[in-house]
Amino acid sequence: QNLAALGRLTASMAHEIRNPLSAVMQAADLLADEKRAEMRTRLSRIIVDNGRRIERLVREVLALGRRDQVLAEPLVVADFLQEMIDEMTLRGDDERALFALDVAPDAVLLFDRTHLHQILGNLLHNARRYCSGQLGAIRIQVLGGDRAVVVHVSDDGPGVPEEGQVSLFEPFFTSDPKGTGLGLYIARELAEANDAILEFVGNTPGAHFVLTARSAR
């Protein structure tokens, strides 16, 4: 089963790389003969944008390759989330105001730090991409317990269309033309590697995801 899944992923990966690679090669060929400055700028942008897309694809698949390298440690969720939000809100308080946090101060989960950063990073970046941009548009609630820590991430955006919900965690499924479609797939794989569960639980009104992980208490 794993070999079959790997075969499908490899075939999909080859297909997903072929398109931006073709665009890079075509633009590079045209650039060599193009004299107009405006067109040269446009062709250069095509090369850079598609090069970055290929780089993202490779980086995310490499992360999947590290799925079995789990170094679990106790992580205080409130501190971990604060550090992540600090990274995402370098523009200041207006950007920070997007996030509404309700985090149990004693919630400590057992997780690989790098894996948790990738999972929550994916959820928070998606929430920011689709939210309204209003005060408290992204809601993060963390409930702590003796056996499990439950992390809720939701936004006030349009949500996931019903027809797309069954495919959310499939590799290369995306509604974002600049996305790779690997983020949620890899996030769920990394969650499972840490004996955790990542689920889409519906639209409230935007996409609402729940990560249930082992408590370190």
Side-chain angles (χ1 to χ4, degrees), residues 182-217:
L182 281 174
L184 284 173
Y185 168 69
I186 291 174
R188 190 170 66 171
E189 289 289 316
L190 294 179
E192 289 178 0
N194 286 268
D195 296 324
I197 300 170
L198 178 62
E199 303 169 284
F200 170 74
V201 295
N203 295 322
T204 58
H208 184 173
F209 291 90
V210 176
L211 175 69
T212 305
R214 291 177 293 165
S215 174
R217 282 168 46 181

PDB file of all heavy atoms in Angstrom, residues 182-217:
ATOM      1  N   LEU A 182       0.455  20.497  -1.686  1.00  0.00           N
ATOM      2  CA  LEU A 182       1.078  19.478  -0.838  1.00  0.00           C
ATOM      3  C   LEU A 182       0.988  19.817   0.647  1.00  0.00           C
ATOM      4  O   LEU A 182       1.219  18.955   1.492  1.00  0.00           O
ATOM      5  CB  LEU A 182       2.559  19.301  -1.214  1.00  0.00           C
ATOM      6  CG  LEU A 182       2.856  18.462  -2.453  1.00  0.00           C
ATOM      7  CD1 LEU A 182       4.343  18.504  -2.768  1.00  0.00           C
ATOM      8  CD2 LEU A 182       2.399  17.030  -2.258  1.00  0.00           C
ATOM      9  N   GLY A 183       0.666  21.056   0.979  1.00  0.00           N
ATOM     10  CA  GLY A 183       0.729  21.516   2.361  1.00  0.00           C
ATOM     11  C   GLY A 183      -0.101  20.693   3.323  1.00  0.00           C
ATOM     12  O   GLY A 183       0.411  20.180   4.328  1.00  0.00           O
ATOM     13  N   LEU A 184      -1.393  20.544   3.055  1.00  0.00           N
ATOM     14  CA  LEU A 184      -2.262  19.814   3.969  1.00  0.00           C
ATOM     15  C   LEU A 184      -1.972  18.322   3.950  1.00  0.00           C
ATOM     16  O   LEU A 184      -2.062  17.642   4.980  1.00  0.00           O
ATOM     17  CB  LEU A 184      -3.734  20.073   3.623  1.00  0.00           C
ATOM     18  CG  LEU A 184      -4.284  21.430   4.059  1.00  0.00           C
ATOM     19  CD1 LEU A 184      -5.693  21.630   3.522  1.00  0.00           C
ATOM     20  CD2 LEU A 184      -4.277  21.562   5.581  1.00  0.00           C
ATOM     21  N   TYR A 185      -1.627  17.797   2.800  1.00  0.00           N
ATOM     22  CA  TYR A 185      -1.270  16.379   2.694  1.00  0.00           C
ATOM     23  C   TYR A 185      -0.080  16.072   3.597  1.00  0.00           C
ATOM     24  O   TYR A 185      -0.105  15.119   4.388  1.00  0.00           O
ATOM     25  CB  TYR A 185      -0.953  16.037   1.237  1.00  0.00           C
ATOM     26  CG  TYR A 185      -0.308  14.682   1.046  1.00  0.00           C
ATOM     27  CD1 TYR A 185      -1.018  13.511   1.261  1.00  0.00           C
ATOM     28  CD2 TYR A 185       1.015  14.578   0.647  1.00  0.00           C
ATOM     29  CE1 TYR A 185      -0.431  12.270   1.082  1.00  0.00           C
ATOM     30  CE2 TYR A 185       1.623  13.348   0.466  1.00  0.00           C
ATOM     31  CZ  TYR A 185       0.889  12.192   0.685  1.00  0.00           C
ATOM     32  OH  TYR A 185       1.492  10.971   0.509  1.00  0.00           O
ATOM     33  N   ILE A 186       0.959  16.895   3.496  1.00  0.00           N
ATOM     34  CA  ILE A 186       2.155  16.674   4.310  1.00  0.00           C
ATOM     35  C   ILE A 186       1.856  16.944   5.778  1.00  0.00           C
ATOM     36  O   ILE A 186       2.333  16.222   6.662  1.00  0.00           O
ATOM     37  CB  ILE A 186       3.316  17.553   3.791  1.00  0.00           C
ATOM     38  CG1 ILE A 186       3.773  17.041   2.428  1.00  0.00           C
ATOM     39  CG2 ILE A 186       4.488  17.564   4.776  1.00  0.00           C
ATOM     40  CD1 ILE A 186       4.801  17.899   1.740  1.00  0.00           C
ATOM     41  N   ALA A 187       1.048  17.963   6.066  1.00  0.00           N
ATOM     42  CA  ALA A 187       0.692  18.266   7.452  1.00  0.00           C
ATOM     43  C   ALA A 187       0.025  17.069   8.118  1.00  0.00           C
ATOM     44  O   ALA A 187       0.335  16.725   9.268  1.00  0.00           O
ATOM     45  CB  ALA A 187      -0.225  19.486   7.506  1.00  0.00           C
ATOM     46  N   ARG A 188      -0.887  16.415   7.408  1.00  0.00           N
ATOM     47  CA  ARG A 188      -1.557  15.255   8.005  1.00  0.00           C
ATOM     48  C   ARG A 188      -0.590  14.086   8.175  1.00  0.00           C
ATOM     49  O   ARG A 188      -0.650  13.366   9.175  1.00  0.00           O
ATOM     50  CB  ARG A 188      -2.764  14.829   7.169  1.00  0.00           C
ATOM     51  CG  ARG A 188      -3.609  13.787   7.888  1.00  0.00           C
ATOM     52  CD  ARG A 188      -4.929  13.525   7.219  1.00  0.00           C
ATOM     53  NE  ARG A 188      -4.761  12.912   5.916  1.00  0.00           N
ATOM     54  CZ  ARG A 188      -5.772  12.434   5.200  1.00  0.00           C
ATOM     55  NH1 ARG A 188      -7.012  12.521   5.650  1.00  0.00           N
ATOM     56  NH2 ARG A 188      -5.567  11.887   4.024  1.00  0.00           N
ATOM     57  N   GLU A 189       0.305  13.891   7.199  1.00  0.00           N
ATOM     58  CA  GLU A 189       1.297  12.818   7.322  1.00  0.00           C
ATOM     59  C   GLU A 189       2.201  13.052   8.534  1.00  0.00           C
ATOM     60  O   GLU A 189       2.520  12.122   9.284  1.00  0.00           O
ATOM     61  CB  GLU A 189       2.137  12.748   6.042  1.00  0.00           C
ATOM     62  CG  GLU A 189       1.393  12.203   4.838  1.00  0.00           C
ATOM     63  CD  GLU A 189       1.119  10.716   4.949  1.00  0.00           C
ATOM     64  OE1 GLU A 189       2.017   9.968   5.352  1.00  0.00           O
ATOM     65  OE2 GLU A 189      -0.029  10.313   4.652  1.00  0.00           O
ATOM     66  N   LEU A 190       2.629  14.301   8.728  1.00  0.00           N
ATOM     67  CA  LEU A 190       3.501  14.620   9.868  1.00  0.00           C
ATOM     68  C   LEU A 190       2.749  14.479  11.192  1.00  0.00           C
ATOM     69  O   LEU A 190       3.328  14.062  12.205  1.00  0.00           O
ATOM     70  CB  LEU A 190       4.072  16.030   9.724  1.00  0.00           C
ATOM     71  CG  LEU A 190       5.032  16.251   8.549  1.00  0.00           C
ATOM     72  CD1 LEU A 190       5.516  17.701   8.514  1.00  0.00           C
ATOM     73  CD2 LEU A 190       6.228  15.297   8.606  1.00  0.00           C
ATOM     74  N   ALA A 191       1.470  14.828  11.189  1.00  0.00           N
ATOM     75  CA  ALA A 191       0.660  14.649  12.403  1.00  0.00           C
ATOM     76  C   ALA A 191       0.601  13.169  12.766  1.00  0.00           C
ATOM     77  O   ALA A 191       0.823  12.793  13.925  1.00  0.00           O
ATOM     78  CB  ALA A 191      -0.749  15.204  12.188  1.00  0.00           C
ATOM     79  N   GLU A 192       0.335  12.325  11.786  1.00  0.00           N
ATOM     80  CA  GLU A 192       0.234  10.888  12.048  1.00  0.00           C
ATOM     81  C   GLU A 192       1.564  10.328  12.549  1.00  0.00           C
ATOM     82  O   GLU A 192       1.582   9.429  13.401  1.00  0.00           O
ATOM     83  CB  GLU A 192      -0.217  10.159  10.788  1.00  0.00           C
ATOM     84  CG  GLU A 192      -1.673  10.426  10.432  1.00  0.00           C
ATOM     85  CD  GLU A 192      -2.113   9.733   9.162  1.00  0.00           C
ATOM     86  OE1 GLU A 192      -1.264   9.038   8.542  1.00  0.00           O
ATOM     87  OE2 GLU A 192      -3.282   9.873   8.783  1.00  0.00           O
ATOM     88  N   ALA A 193       2.675  10.842  12.039  1.00  0.00           N
ATOM     89  CA  ALA A 193       3.988  10.389  12.488  1.00  0.00           C
ATOM     90  C   ALA A 193       4.212  10.704  13.964  1.00  0.00           C
ATOM     91  O   ALA A 193       5.024  10.053  14.628  1.00  0.00           O
ATOM     92  CB  ALA A 193       5.087  11.032  11.637  1.00  0.00           C
ATOM     93  N   ASN A 194       3.494  11.696  14.488  1.00  0.00           N
ATOM     94  CA  ASN A 194       3.601  12.082  15.896  1.00  0.00           C
ATOM     95  C   ASN A 194       2.427  11.544  16.720  1.00  0.00           C
ATOM     96  O   ASN A 194       2.146  12.069  17.804  1.00  0.00           O
ATOM     97  CB  ASN A 194       3.670  13.603  16.014  1.00  0.00           C
ATOM     98  CG  ASN A 194       5.003  14.178  15.581  1.00  0.00           C
ATOM     99  OD1 ASN A 194       5.909  14.359  16.389  1.00  0.00           O
ATOM    100  ND2 ASN A 194       5.151  14.469  14.290  1.00  0.00           N
ATOM    101  N   ASP A 195       1.759  10.517  16.201  1.00  0.00           N
ATOM    102  CA  ASP A 195       0.589   9.932  16.879  1.00  0.00           C
ATOM    103  C   ASP A 195      -0.484  10.977  17.134  1.00  0.00           C
ATOM    104  O   ASP A 195      -1.173  10.953  18.179  1.00  0.00           O
ATOM    105  CB  ASP A 195       0.990   9.259  18.195  1.00  0.00           C
ATOM    106  CG  ASP A 195       1.911   8.066  17.975  1.00  0.00           C
ATOM    107  OD1 ASP A 195       1.728   7.362  16.973  1.00  0.00           O
ATOM    108  OD2 ASP A 195       2.819   7.853  18.804  1.00  0.00           O
ATOM    109  N   ALA A 196      -0.624  11.912  16.222  1.00  0.00           N
ATOM    110  CA  ALA A 196      -1.643  12.964  16.323  1.00  0.00           C
ATOM    111  C   ALA A 196      -2.618  12.840  15.153  1.00  0.00           C
ATOM    112  O   ALA A 196      -2.379  12.088  14.198  1.00  0.00           O
ATOM    113  CB  ALA A 196      -0.985  14.341  16.330  1.00  0.00           C
ATOM    114  N   ILE A 197      -3.705  13.571  15.233  1.00  0.00           N
ATOM    115  CA  ILE A 197      -4.732  13.532  14.181  1.00  0.00           C
ATOM    116  C   ILE A 197      -5.021  14.963  13.720  1.00  0.00           C
ATOM    117  O   ILE A 197      -5.285  15.840  14.545  1.00  0.00           O
ATOM    118  CB  ILE A 197      -6.034  12.896  14.706  1.00  0.00           C
ATOM    119  CG1 ILE A 197      -5.788  11.462  15.180  1.00  0.00           C
ATOM    120  CG2 ILE A 197      -7.112  12.909  13.621  1.00  0.00           C
ATOM    121  CD1 ILE A 197      -6.980  10.860  15.923  1.00  0.00           C
ATOM    122  N   LEU A 198      -4.966  15.187  12.417  1.00  0.00           N
ATOM    123  CA  LEU A 198      -5.331  16.481  11.835  1.00  0.00           C
ATOM    124  C   LEU A 198      -6.597  16.290  11.021  1.00  0.00           C
ATOM    125  O   LEU A 198      -6.642  15.450  10.122  1.00  0.00           O
ATOM    126  CB  LEU A 198      -4.202  17.018  10.952  1.00  0.00           C
ATOM    127  CG  LEU A 198      -4.491  18.344  10.243  1.00  0.00           C
ATOM    128  CD1 LEU A 198      -4.740  19.466  11.233  1.00  0.00           C
ATOM    129  CD2 LEU A 198      -3.339  18.714   9.299  1.00  0.00           C
ATOM    130  N   GLU A 199      -7.630  17.068  11.342  1.00  0.00           N
ATOM    131  CA  GLU A 199      -8.921  16.916  10.687  1.00  0.00           C
ATOM    132  C   GLU A 199      -9.481  18.259  10.223  1.00  0.00           C
ATOM    133  O   GLU A 199      -9.226  19.291  10.848  1.00  0.00           O
ATOM    134  CB  GLU A 199      -9.938  16.302  11.654  1.00  0.00           C
ATOM    135  CG  GLU A 199      -9.564  14.979  12.261  1.00  0.00           C
ATOM    136  CD  GLU A 199     -10.506  14.592  13.381  1.00  0.00           C
ATOM    137  OE1 GLU A 199     -10.377  15.165  14.487  1.00  0.00           O
ATOM    138  OE2 GLU A 199     -11.394  13.751  13.131  1.00  0.00           O
ATOM    139  N   PHE A 200     -10.260  18.214   9.155  1.00  0.00           N
ATOM    140  CA  PHE A 200     -11.103  19.336   8.755  1.00  0.00           C
ATOM    141  C   PHE A 200     -12.477  19.048   9.319  1.00  0.00           C
ATOM    142  O   PHE A 200     -13.060  17.995   9.041  1.00  0.00           O
ATOM    143  CB  PHE A 200     -11.159  19.454   7.231  1.00  0.00           C
ATOM    144  CG  PHE A 200     -12.195  20.425   6.731  1.00  0.00           C
ATOM    145  CD1 PHE A 200     -11.991  21.790   6.840  1.00  0.00           C
ATOM    146  CD2 PHE A 200     -13.374  19.970   6.157  1.00  0.00           C
ATOM    147  CE1 PHE A 200     -12.949  22.699   6.401  1.00  0.00           C
ATOM    148  CE2 PHE A 200     -14.330  20.861   5.702  1.00  0.00           C
ATOM    149  CZ  PHE A 200     -14.116  22.224   5.824  1.00  0.00           C
ATOM    150  N   VAL A 201     -13.006  19.961  10.147  1.00  0.00           N
ATOM    151  CA  VAL A 201     -14.281  19.679  10.815  1.00  0.00           C
ATOM    152  C   VAL A 201     -15.437  20.505  10.269  1.00  0.00           C
ATOM    153  O   VAL A 201     -16.557  20.423  10.786  1.00  0.00           O
ATOM    154  CB  VAL A 201     -14.153  19.889  12.350  1.00  0.00           C
ATOM    155  CG1 VAL A 201     -13.175  18.883  12.938  1.00  0.00           C
ATOM    156  CG2 VAL A 201     -13.733  21.310  12.698  1.00  0.00           C
ATOM    157  N   GLY A 202     -15.188  21.305   9.242  1.00  0.00           N
ATOM    158  CA  GLY A 202     -16.271  22.062   8.634  1.00  0.00           C
ATOM    159  C   GLY A 202     -15.942  23.534   8.473  1.00  0.00           C
ATOM    160  O   GLY A 202     -14.813  23.973   8.716  1.00  0.00           O
ATOM    161  N   ASN A 203     -16.925  24.303   8.055  1.00  0.00           N
ATOM    162  CA  ASN A 203     -16.779  25.746   7.869  1.00  0.00           C
ATOM    163  C   ASN A 203     -17.522  26.478   8.980  1.00  0.00           C
ATOM    164  O   ASN A 203     -18.696  26.204   9.238  1.00  0.00           O
ATOM    165  CB  ASN A 203     -17.363  26.173   6.526  1.00  0.00           C
ATOM    166  CG  ASN A 203     -16.591  25.585   5.359  1.00  0.00           C
ATOM    167  OD1 ASN A 203     -15.370  25.479   5.389  1.00  0.00           O
ATOM    168  ND2 ASN A 203     -17.308  25.192   4.294  1.00  0.00           N
ATOM    169  N   THR A 204     -16.798  27.422   9.661  1.00  0.00           N
ATOM    170  CA  THR A 204     -17.438  28.099  10.815  1.00  0.00           C
ATOM    171  C   THR A 204     -17.155  29.600  10.897  1.00  0.00           C
ATOM    172  O   THR A 204     -16.713  30.057  11.949  1.00  0.00           O
ATOM    173  CB  THR A 204     -16.967  27.423  12.118  1.00  0.00           C
ATOM    174  OG1 THR A 204     -15.531  27.502  12.196  1.00  0.00           O
ATOM    175  CG2 THR A 204     -17.385  25.988  12.230  1.00  0.00           C
ATOM    176  N   PRO A 205     -17.351  30.472   9.928  1.00  0.00           N
ATOM    177  CA  PRO A 205     -17.793  30.160   8.566  1.00  0.00           C
ATOM    178  C   PRO A 205     -16.639  29.759   7.646  1.00  0.00           C
ATOM    179  O   PRO A 205     -16.847  29.130   6.625  1.00  0.00           O
ATOM    180  CB  PRO A 205     -18.420  31.479   8.094  1.00  0.00           C
ATOM    181  CG  PRO A 205     -17.589  32.517   8.801  1.00  0.00           C
ATOM    182  CD  PRO A 205     -17.245  31.920  10.147  1.00  0.00           C
ATOM    183  N   GLY A 206     -15.392  30.165   8.013  1.00  0.00           N
ATOM    184  CA  GLY A 206     -14.240  29.750   7.202  1.00  0.00           C
ATOM    185  C   GLY A 206     -13.803  28.349   7.587  1.00  0.00           C
ATOM    186  O   GLY A 206     -14.397  27.705   8.460  1.00  0.00           O
ATOM    187  N   ALA A 207     -12.732  27.863   6.941  1.00  0.00           N
ATOM    188  CA  ALA A 207     -12.243  26.507   7.193  1.00  0.00           C
ATOM    189  C   ALA A 207     -11.846  26.346   8.654  1.00  0.00           C
ATOM    190  O   ALA A 207     -11.196  27.204   9.239  1.00  0.00           O
ATOM    191  CB  ALA A 207     -11.049  26.216   6.292  1.00  0.00           C
ATOM    192  N   HIS A 208     -12.236  25.229   9.238  1.00  0.00           N
ATOM    193  CA  HIS A 208     -11.982  24.946  10.659  1.00  0.00           C
ATOM    194  C   HIS A 208     -11.240  23.605  10.745  1.00  0.00           C
ATOM    195  O   HIS A 208     -11.776  22.559  10.388  1.00  0.00           O
ATOM    196  CB  HIS A 208     -13.306  24.885  11.412  1.00  0.00           C
ATOM    197  CG  HIS A 208     -13.152  24.690  12.892  1.00  0.00           C
ATOM    198  ND1 HIS A 208     -14.214  24.745  13.755  1.00  0.00           N
ATOM    199  CD2 HIS A 208     -12.064  24.437  13.674  1.00  0.00           C
ATOM    200  CE1 HIS A 208     -13.798  24.538  14.993  1.00  0.00           C
ATOM    201  NE2 HIS A 208     -12.493  24.336  14.958  1.00  0.00           N
ATOM    202  N   PHE A 209      -9.980  23.667  11.211  1.00  0.00           N
ATOM    203  CA  PHE A 209      -9.155  22.472  11.347  1.00  0.00           C
ATOM    204  C   PHE A 209      -8.892  22.207  12.817  1.00  0.00           C
ATOM    205  O   PHE A 209      -8.789  23.141  13.622  1.00  0.00           O
ATOM    206  CB  PHE A 209      -7.822  22.647  10.616  1.00  0.00           C
ATOM    207  CG  PHE A 209      -7.962  22.679   9.117  1.00  0.00           C
ATOM    208  CD1 PHE A 209      -8.158  23.896   8.454  1.00  0.00           C
ATOM    209  CD2 PHE A 209      -7.898  21.522   8.360  1.00  0.00           C
ATOM    210  CE1 PHE A 209      -8.282  23.947   7.080  1.00  0.00           C
ATOM    211  CE2 PHE A 209      -8.025  21.557   6.978  1.00  0.00           C
ATOM    212  CZ  PHE A 209      -8.220  22.758   6.328  1.00  0.00           C
ATOM    213  N   VAL A 210      -8.723  20.926  13.149  1.00  0.00           N
ATOM    214  CA  VAL A 210      -8.444  20.523  14.524  1.00  0.00           C
ATOM    215  C   VAL A 210      -7.268  19.542  14.533  1.00  0.00           C
ATOM    216  O   VAL A 210      -7.275  18.552  13.810  1.00  0.00           O
ATOM    217  CB  VAL A 210      -9.666  19.861  15.182  1.00  0.00           C
ATOM    218  CG1 VAL A 210      -9.310  19.370  16.583  1.00  0.00           C
ATOM    219  CG2 VAL A 210     -10.833  20.832  15.259  1.00  0.00           C
ATOM    220  N   LEU A 211      -6.285  19.874  15.356  1.00  0.00           N
ATOM    221  CA  LEU A 211      -5.132  18.987  15.581  1.00  0.00           C
ATOM    222  C   LEU A 211      -5.253  18.432  16.992  1.00  0.00           C
ATOM    223  O   LEU A 211      -5.266  19.188  17.966  1.00  0.00           O
ATOM    224  CB  LEU A 211      -3.815  19.758  15.417  1.00  0.00           C
ATOM    225  CG  LEU A 211      -2.539  18.964  15.739  1.00  0.00           C
ATOM    226  CD1 LEU A 211      -2.303  17.874  14.691  1.00  0.00           C
ATOM    227  CD2 LEU A 211      -1.325  19.916  15.810  1.00  0.00           C
ATOM    228  N   THR A 212      -5.333  17.111  17.109  1.00  0.00           N
ATOM    229  CA  THR A 212      -5.414  16.446  18.412  1.00  0.00           C
ATOM    230  C   THR A 212      -4.109  15.686  18.636  1.00  0.00           C
ATOM    231  O   THR A 212      -3.774  14.789  17.856  1.00  0.00           O
ATOM    232  CB  THR A 212      -6.602  15.476  18.475  1.00  0.00           C
ATOM    233  OG1 THR A 212      -7.809  16.186  18.143  1.00  0.00           O
ATOM    234  CG2 THR A 212      -6.746  14.879  19.859  1.00  0.00           C
ATOM    235  N   ALA A 213      -3.370  16.064  19.675  1.00  0.00           N
ATOM    236  CA  ALA A 213      -2.046  15.500  19.917  1.00  0.00           C
ATOM    237  C   ALA A 213      -1.933  14.967  21.335  1.00  0.00           C
ATOM    238  O   ALA A 213      -2.761  15.272  22.211  1.00  0.00           O
ATOM    239  CB  ALA A 213      -0.970  16.561  19.662  1.00  0.00           C
ATOM    240  N   ARG A 214      -0.887  14.187  21.580  1.00  0.00           N
ATOM    241  CA  ARG A 214      -0.646  13.621  22.915  1.00  0.00           C
ATOM    242  C   ARG A 214      -0.239  14.726  23.897  1.00  0.00           C
ATOM    243  O   ARG A 214       0.559  15.599  23.569  1.00  0.00           O
ATOM    244  CB  ARG A 214       0.490  12.595  22.858  1.00  0.00           C
ATOM    245  CG  ARG A 214       0.153  11.323  22.100  1.00  0.00           C
ATOM    246  CD  ARG A 214       1.376  10.420  22.037  1.00  0.00           C
ATOM    247  NE  ARG A 214       2.433  11.033  21.215  1.00  0.00           N
ATOM    248  CZ  ARG A 214       3.700  10.624  21.222  1.00  0.00           C
ATOM    249  NH1 ARG A 214       4.077   9.640  22.015  1.00  0.00           N
ATOM    250  NH2 ARG A 214       4.596  11.202  20.444  1.00  0.00           N
ATOM    251  N   SER A 215      -0.793  14.661  25.082  1.00  0.00           N
ATOM    252  CA  SER A 215      -0.423  15.597  26.131  1.00  0.00           C
ATOM    253  C   SER A 215       0.878  15.141  26.785  1.00  0.00           C
ATOM    254  O   SER A 215       1.110  13.935  26.946  1.00  0.00           O
ATOM    255  CB  SER A 215      -1.528  15.681  27.181  1.00  0.00           C
ATOM    256  OG  SER A 215      -1.109  16.490  28.274  1.00  0.00           O
ATOM    257  N   ALA A 216       1.719  16.084  27.175  1.00  0.00           N
ATOM    258  CA  ALA A 216       2.961  15.769  27.865  1.00  0.00           C
ATOM    259  C   ALA A 216       2.826  15.947  29.362  1.00  0.00           C
ATOM    260  O   ALA A 216       3.806  15.858  30.104  1.00  0.00           O
ATOM    261  CB  ALA A 216       4.109  16.643  27.330  1.00  0.00           C
ATOM    262  N   ARG A 217       1.621  16.235  29.833  1.00  0.00           N
ATOM    263  CA  ARG A 217       1.385  16.441  31.273  1.00  0.00           C
ATOM    264  C   ARG A 217       1.355  15.129  32.040  1.00  0.00           C
ATOM    265  O   ARG A 217       1.010  14.099  31.504  1.00  0.00           O
ATOM    266  CB  ARG A 217       0.054  17.188  31.482  1.00  0.00           C
ATOM    267  CG  ARG A 217       0.185  18.678  31.219  1.00  0.00           C
ATOM    268  CD  ARG A 217      -1.141  19.379  31.125  1.00  0.00           C
ATOM    269  NE  ARG A 217      -2.068  19.008  32.196  1.00  0.00           N
ATOM    270  CZ  ARG A 217      -3.304  19.490  32.288  1.00  0.00           C
ATOM    271  NH1 ARG A 217      -3.752  20.322  31.358  1.00  0.00           N
ATOM    272  NH2 ARG A 217      -4.092  19.128  33.260  1.00  0.00           N
TER     273      ARG A 217
END
